[in-house]
Amino acid sequence: MTNTEQTTVLITGANKGLGLEAARRLGEQGWTVFLGSRDAARGQAAADELAAEGVNVVMVPLDVTSEESVSDAVRLVREHTDRLDVLINNAGAPGNIVAPADATADEIHSVYDTNVYGPIRVTHAFLPLLQVADNPRVVMVSSGGGSFAVVTDPEQPVSKMHELAYSSSKAALNMITVRYAQALPKIKFNVATPGEVANRKFAATDMNNHTGQLTVTEGTDSILELATIDADGPTGIFIDRLGPVGW
């Protein structure tokens, strides 16, 4: 069965939080949503929830740290569509917020496996399906914590959050996105942060124990903006819901 009409999107880490809300909002626009979830049971529960609301959704078991899982996800998506219009690399790991003096290579590696290598694995695997879409877009969900401009601003709370893994992994993801954008101009590669950098706010999710000042819906505004840009839209940019973010 091939989908030739509805816009298609695959969202990693979509069984909760920002990923689930982005799936809900795009599904409400009539998109076909491939809901990626490392935990199949939680993913199916989330997909059932969206389906009950009328969303055309397919649950895709997807662990971004596993080459085998990613390959299986490609095969499953291909059973439903001959192209992928949008890929949202949302799955992320916060790490343990280990002080730099105590951080080990193993601690850094585990976070990079999800936040850096994961998006590369998924993007590489789905490139053939993206390349046959009319207006393919890839959205990388990053963080203000991955911005040198933000982290070096003493007025920003993240400047005082002393850790290595999360912020450096998101900085790496930002650079990776720019390099993809330069090398593959037929695909829009952009970066979204779910916070409001100027207002020093971030979205309430499991990753921050729901301490953020923005709702999960507000947190997905920048993701939705980049997922829905037209063929004349930008590539290689970094935004939050208020506008451009400094690298």
Side-chain angles (χ1 to χ4, degrees):
M1 177 178 174
T2 300
N3 183 332
T4 58
E5 296 178 1
Q6 290 181 307
T7 302
T8 55
V9 59
L10 169 68
I11 308 174
T12 66
N15 64 286
K16 62 180 181 178
L18 296 168
L20 178 57
E21 183 63 11
R24 185 190 318 280
R25 294 180 68 183
L26 292 171
E28 288 174 349
Q29 295 185 28
W31 290 29
T32 294
V33 176
F34 293 100
L35 188 151
S37 177
R38 183 177 60 179
D39 185 305
R42 292 179 181 176
Q44 193 57 59
D48 291 345
E49 176 186 327
L50 294 184
E53 298 173 8
V55 174
N56 184 15
V57 57
V58 178
M59 197 283 288
V60 179
L62 178 53
D63 177 354
V64 303
T65 69
S66 165
E67 294 282 358
E68 182 180 4
S69 178
V70 172
S71 295
D72 289 344
V74 173
R75 282 192 289 272
L76 177 56
V77 170
R78 282 189 177 275
E79 291 176 7
H80 296 270
T81 183
D82 58 0
R83 69 171 202 285
L84 185 65
D85 297 296
V86 179
L87 168 63
I88 300 177
N89 282 303
N90 167 73
N96 297 314
I97 317 300
V98 176
D102 300 321
T104 64
D106 283 345
E107 161 67 17
I108 303 299
H109 179 78
S110 65
V111 177
Y112 272 54
D113 204 16
T114 298
N115 295 357
V116 181
Y117 313 140
I120 294 174
R121 284 188 191 97
V122 176
T123 301
H124 180 263
F126 280 92
L127 268 179
L129 282 173
L130 286 162
Q131 288 171 324
V132 295
D134 291 335
N135 176 29
R137 290 143 277 169
V138 177
V139 181
M140 305 290 199
V141 179
S142 186
S143 167
S147 161
F148 284 90
V150 173
V151 171
T152 57
D153 179 354
E155 298 301 315
Q156 290 284 350
V158 71
S159 71
K160 302 171 182 65
M161 188 179 79
H162 303 306
E163 56 77 51
L164 296 183
Y166 183 74
S167 55
S168 68
S169 71
K170 291 301 188 180
L173 179 63
N174 292 353
M175 177 61 78
I176 286 165
T177 309
V178 171
R179 300 304 271 171
Y180 273 134
Q182 292 170 333
L184 298 164
K186 293 183 179 179
I187 302 175
K188 302 289 191 300
F189 284 91
N190 292 304
V191 183
T193 173
E196 290 181 358
V197 171
N199 295 328
R200 307 181 190 95
K201 294 181 179 180
F202 49 95
T205 66
D206 283 357
M207 195 173 286
N208 55 52
N209 295 315
H210 297 273
T211 58
Q213 307 93 326
L214 302 177
T215 67
V216 70
T217 302
E218 291 170 327
T220 58
D221 283 347
S222 57
I223 299 171
L224 267 286
E225 180 176 342
L226 295 176
T228 57
I229 57 175
D230 60 28
D232 295 324
T235 191
I237 67 169
F238 185 12
I239 68 166
D240 64 12
R241 66 193 299 265
L242 303 178
V245 174
W247 294 104

